[in-house]
Each structure stands twice: as structure tokens, then as C-alpha cells.
Amino acid sequence: MRQVAVENFQEWREKARALVAGSVPPDDVRFTDGLQDSLFADVPMPAAGSRGRISVPRAFLARAEIVSLHRDPKRWDLLYRALFRIVNDGLSNEPDELLAMEQAVGRDIHKMHAFVRFRKIVEDDGQPQYVAWYRPDHHIVKHVAPWFAERFGAMHWAILTPDLSAYWDTKTLRFGDGVPRSAAPQEDELEELWRSYYASIFNPARVNVRAMTREMPVRHWSTMPEATLIPTLVSNARAREQQMRERAPGSAEPFVPVGAELPVLAAAVRACKGCELYACATQPVFGEGPERARLMLVGEQPGDQEDLQGRPFVGPAGQLLDRALQEAGVDRSSVYVTNAVKHFKFEERGKRRIHKKPDGGEVAACRPWLTAEIERVDPQLIVALGATAALSLGGREFAIQKERGRMMPLPGGRQLLITVHPSFLLRVPEAAKAAEFARFVQDLRLAS
Ligand code: URA
Ligand code: SF4
């Protein structure tokens, strides 16, 4: 019997390849987890033999990688047996036991996506950090961490689990030792937000109590505040469904978590189906900037670049805006920058995606997100860049050129200032460019 220790899938893959190439039958190998077995060092890998490089179907490897995350130490042997059969007998159907493992890991991944709850803690340097403690059934932390990094990219967070912990600092993902439950913070500012988030993204048309209780094993309930909401949600579901249907033609409102902080709003907008625009865009583009900015700039909607990068005003109009802000003496990093509509509306022309103006219904549908941003950031002055932003903020059509450049009162003691959209400056005839740019800068200077 040959003992082979493997620590991860990559290692299993290399060693299993060598063993198959050396025609070592499954009954002669025992894989073990981790490094504790030094036996392997004593048993040299077989020489490649006459087989040369073996080829393994990509689909099998992809599924084997999922199976490798299963906690059962037998998984490596089972995988080797399957690999051996594929290579030698051309058999591609996997044994039931492997399929069951694959499904169990899949379910575990799905649950971790759904049930990790970040709690806010404030560090010494005043930077908010978000910490979650979670106990997955299988070794899935490294597999799911990139998903959280993408979804909560703007937050500093840690996901602590008994075996392994993942840390994200908005740029890099790191892994460290596991920690006991007691190391995760108990009290929780975010709790209420998560509850309202869940209450609002809850889709009443799909209430299925049996499926819900099946999806939420009892041991999760202690880490799941919103579980207490479920009975209410279920009983309100019918009424909410009715309401949602009546709220035609579409509104983001049921998707907006009430009173939530910016990172929670930015996460929640990804689930928005308040109008049709979510369907064709790459991703929503939420606002960016300090939580307490005194000045907020509102554009129309993301453009091609913004849609791809997931950030507002990073394309050509954004570069022009940056130049104008600089000239006006405004530091962009002190300003909250967002759009009236969060998804890119476009028309495909060949390979290009041509911007299409959002209509009044879409602007109105998306307004709850802008409202939530305004409530959170609480700016003193909001600058509407162009007609769409002016419509959303001022509630009517404006003649931009006539009404630009003066302060107008908004509810809540705020001021509204209307000016042109930077992309207007990109289209102005060459001869008028300098003068129009100067007027735009002048408006921004007034704002500052
Ligand atoms: N135009 C906008 O209105 N917003 C952006 O984010 C980019 C271009
Ligand atoms: Fe929701 Fe606004 Fe996107 Fe429409 S454009 S789906 S309302 S976020």
C-alpha cells in the first residue's frame, strides 16, 4: 500500500496524474489529508512509464475540484478511483458517492453566500471593519472568499471560521488561522440593516416555508437575526406581492434596505429589478465618496466604461469632470459622486454600445436609490449634472441653459444647483469648447 499525503486539490491533481501515468491501481494507494504523513517521502512517485502525459476531461477536473472541498477524508481516494477509470476504461460517469459530495459542497457554498452576516466594529484608527463568524460544513472558505471580495469590495472585512479565516482590505485577500465563535464581535450595529435588507429583497412571490426551513439548518439560526423576521414575512407575503404588482411601472423601492449604510446599499443594489435596465447591463454602478460629504454630484447614468468598471464617472465624461473639478478647486475625493439611474441603458450597434437616455419611468423607478444615498450622505448641496439628474432631483423638466448656475431650495434644508452634463462639453463645437468649459467650472466653483 502506498500512502500519499495531499494538502490541496493542486497537489492531489499532480500526484494523481503521476500515479495514473505509472498505472498504479486505486487499491494500491491511500490518500491522506495534509502533511502529517511523511510516508510519501519514502515512496517515490512512479516514473511516467510508457503512458506519457495523460489527458483528463476538463469537466471532470472542474467537478473534482469542488469535491476536493468536501470534509470527508475518503474524497481523495474516491477521486483517484474515478480518475483511474476515466483514463483506463474511458468511463466518465462518476459514482453516486462523488456526486453526493459535489452536491453537498455546492449547497454549502450556496448557504455561505446567503448566510454570512457582517457585524460592524470600529478599529482604533476609526476605519470601520466588518466581521462575520461562520461555520461552513466543508473546506470552502478559500473558494467563496473571492465572491465576498467582489460583492463587498469597498469594505474592510473578515470572515472568521473555525478552520480558516479570510481577510479583505479592499485590495487583497489574505487567509489566516481559524478562530472560535467567541472571537467574533457580539453586539451589532448592522443587525437592523440586515433585517431590513432581507425584508425588502424578499420576493413574496416565492415564499416557500418548507424550502426556507430546509435551507436554514437550525444551527444557523443563532447567527441569523433575520430568521426572527420570517414568520412576519411569510404572513405579509401576499399583501406585498399585491403591492408590488400595483406599484407598476416598476420601482426600486422594494429593493432598498431602509436606513441602511452605504456599503449595505451598494450591496443591495445588485439585486435590484426595479425596472428593466438591470437585464442588459453588466452591473449596477452605485455612488462613491465619503459617507458625510457636504457636496454631492449627480450624473445621468453609467456609461460604457462605468458599466464595465462598476464605478461612476471613470470614462471620458468622468475625465472631463475631473479636470473641471480640479480647475474649480474641488477635491473629487471629498465629493460624493453618483447617478440618477444606476444601470447603463444602451443600444448595440455592431460591437459598440451606444448610450441611450433613460426615460422618465426609469428615472422614477431608480429614484429610491438616490433618495437613500441623499439620506445617508446628508449633503448640503447637490449638483445636478444635466437634464436627467435635474428631473430626478427637482421633480420636473428644467431648461438647463436658462436655469443653470443658481441655488434652488430642496426639502430638508438642502440646496440644488443645476448645470450641464460633462458629456455635453464633449459634443460642443470646437470653437465654443473653451468658453463652455469655463462656464461649467464657474458653476462648480459656485458649488464649492
Ligand atoms: N455619465 C454619467 O452621467 N454618469 C457616469 O457615471 C458616467 C457618464
Ligand atoms: Fe433598479 Fe435602477 Fe437598475 Fe432599474 S436602473 S434595475 S431601478 S438599480
Side-chain angles (χ1 to χ4, degrees):
M1 178 65 62
R2 188 189 289 266
Q3 291 241 22
V4 179
V6 290
E7 251 201 305
N8 53 42
F9 179 70
Q10 245 2 66
E11 205 180 336
W12 172 86
R13 184 177 161 177
E14 278 157 31
K15 292 181 173 174
R17 259 182 199 284
L19 292 162
V20 171
S23 299
V24 177
D27 285 337
D28 292 353
V29 202
R30 204 48 76 243
F31 285 92
T32 57
D33 255 319
L35 297 165
Q36 72 275 23
D37 272 284
S38 54
L39 275 176
F40 175 64
D42 305 323
V43 186
M45 276 295 167
S50 54
R51 309 190 65 125
R53 233 185 126 62
I54 57 161
S55 91
V56 181
R58 203 180 279 266
F60 171 76
L61 285 175
R63 303 177 64 187
E65 187 159 8
I66 294 293
V67 171
S68 78
L69 307 177
H70 201 282
R71 209 174 266 284
D72 190 335
K74 286 203 312 285
R75 68 198 183 285
W76 302 122
D77 286 342
L78 287 168
L79 284 171
Y80 183 64
R81 199 168 285 279
L83 176 70
F84 194 86
R85 281 181 359 132
I86 289 171
V87 173
N88 290 288
D89 310 332
L91 288 179
S92 60
N93 60 319
E94 282 150 44
D96 291 348
E97 221 174 335
L98 276 189
L99 285 179
M101 284 185 179
E102 186 186 343
Q103 282 170 5
V105 172
R107 272 198 306 275
D108 204 30
I109 291 170
H110 171 73
K111 273 189 211 140
M112 187 156 173
H113 286 164
F115 295 141
V116 162
R117 292 292 168 272
F118 289 106
R119 282 139 200 263
K120 183 176 173 181
I121 53 173
V122 177
E123 290 294 280
D124 293 343
D125 62 1
Q127 269 271 20
Q129 308 232 354
Y130 297 84
V131 176
W133 188 88
Y134 186 82
R135 181 175 47 205
D137 289 328
H138 301 289
H139 301 297
I140 58 173
V141 176
K142 283 197 172 157
H143 184 86
V144 298
W147 185 91
F148 285 99
E150 202 194 310
R151 188 115 335 173
F152 301 105
M155 288 163 41
H156 286 239
W157 56 251
I159 300 175
L160 315 175
T161 85
D163 295 325
L164 184 75
S165 298
Y167 303 88
W168 173 252
D169 63 3
T170 75
K171 289 188 188 67
T172 35
L173 205 48
R174 287 182 301 112
F175 296 94
D177 291 342
V179 293
R181 175 78 182 90
S182 55
Q186 301 296 322
E187 95 285 7
D188 190 354
E189 289 180 46
L190 268 190
E191 202 118 322
E192 272 308 308
L193 305 176
W194 279 114
R195 281 164 176 267
S196 49
Y197 173 55
Y198 260 73
S200 52
I201 65 164
F202 199 80
N203 183 344
R206 288 168 54 200
V207 178
N208 178 337
V209 183
R210 273 208 13 243
M212 272 170 32
T213 40
R214 198 172 55 228
E215 286 289 316
M216 291 178 205
V218 174
R219 70 178 173 77
H220 284 297
W221 285 54
S222 62
T223 56
M224 267 193 52
E226 71 277 15
T228 58
L229 271 180
I230 287 166
T232 326
L233 287 170
V234 172
S235 65
N236 288 345
R238 286 250 151 75
R240 284 171 58 87
E241 187 184 358
Q242 184 74 16
Q243 235 180 32
M244 268 165 80
R245 267 205 238 100
E246 282 166 5
R247 212 180 269 136
S251 168
E253 201 211 300
F255 301 92
V256 182
V258 180
E261 297 183 63
L262 293 173
V264 177
L265 290 169
V269 75
R270 297 183 160 269
C272 188
K273 294 183 176 173
C275 73
E276 298 297 318
L277 295 184
Y278 75 91
C280 298
T282 310
Q283 58 189 324
V285 175
F286 204 65
E288 255 184 23
E291 171 125 20
R292 283 279 171 269
R294 291 164 65 198
L295 177 60
M296 180 183 278
L297 299 184
V298 181
E300 180 185 69
Q301 61 163 349
D304 182 68
Q305 279 305 310
E306 287 80 13
D307 169 80
L308 296 172
Q309 295 184 39
R311 300 182 52 200
F313 282 107
V314 292
Q319 281 155 21
L320 202 143
L321 176 65
D322 285 346
R323 266 209 294 131
L325 284 172
Q326 202 176 19
E327 196 132 323
V330 182
D331 178 8
R332 173 158 171 176
S333 68
S334 71
V335 178
Y336 189 88
V337 179
T338 190
N339 285 298
V341 170
K342 309 301 188 218
H343 276 106
F344 179 33
K345 182 176 181 181
F346 59 92
E347 208 170 347
E348 259 170 329
R349 271 201 225 130
K351 282 204 177 109
R352 293 185 56 210
R353 303 190 298 172
I354 308 294
H355 160 275
K356 252 181 106 177
K357 193 172 145 124
D359 63 34
E362 288 148 353
V363 173
C366 210
R367 176 67 214 236
W369 291 113
L370 185 57
T371 303
E373 288 175 293
I374 294 171
E375 276 169 10
R376 238 323 125 180
V377 177
D378 194 21
Q380 288 172 4
L381 174 66
I382 307 179
V383 176
L385 302 170
T388 302
L391 170 67
S392 182
L393 290 160
R396 65 173 171 90
E397 308 262 347
F398 286 82
I400 300 295
Q401 288 296 3
K402 237 175 76 191
E403 301 186 72
R404 72 186 289 182
R406 58 186 148 92
M407 299 287 174
M408 287 175 259
L410 278 180
R414 276 184 261 281
Q415 303 279 326
L416 172 65
L417 180 77
I418 290 174
T419 185
V420 295
H421 192 283
S423 66
F424 160 76
L425 302 175
L426 293 170
R427 295 189 310 260
V428 157
E430 208 49 53
K433 268 211 161 87
E436 282 299 342
F437 184 75
R439 275 188 84 189
F440 184 52
V441 170
Q442 195 186 331
D443 288 346
L444 294 176
R445 204 170 273 145
L446 178 63
S448 85

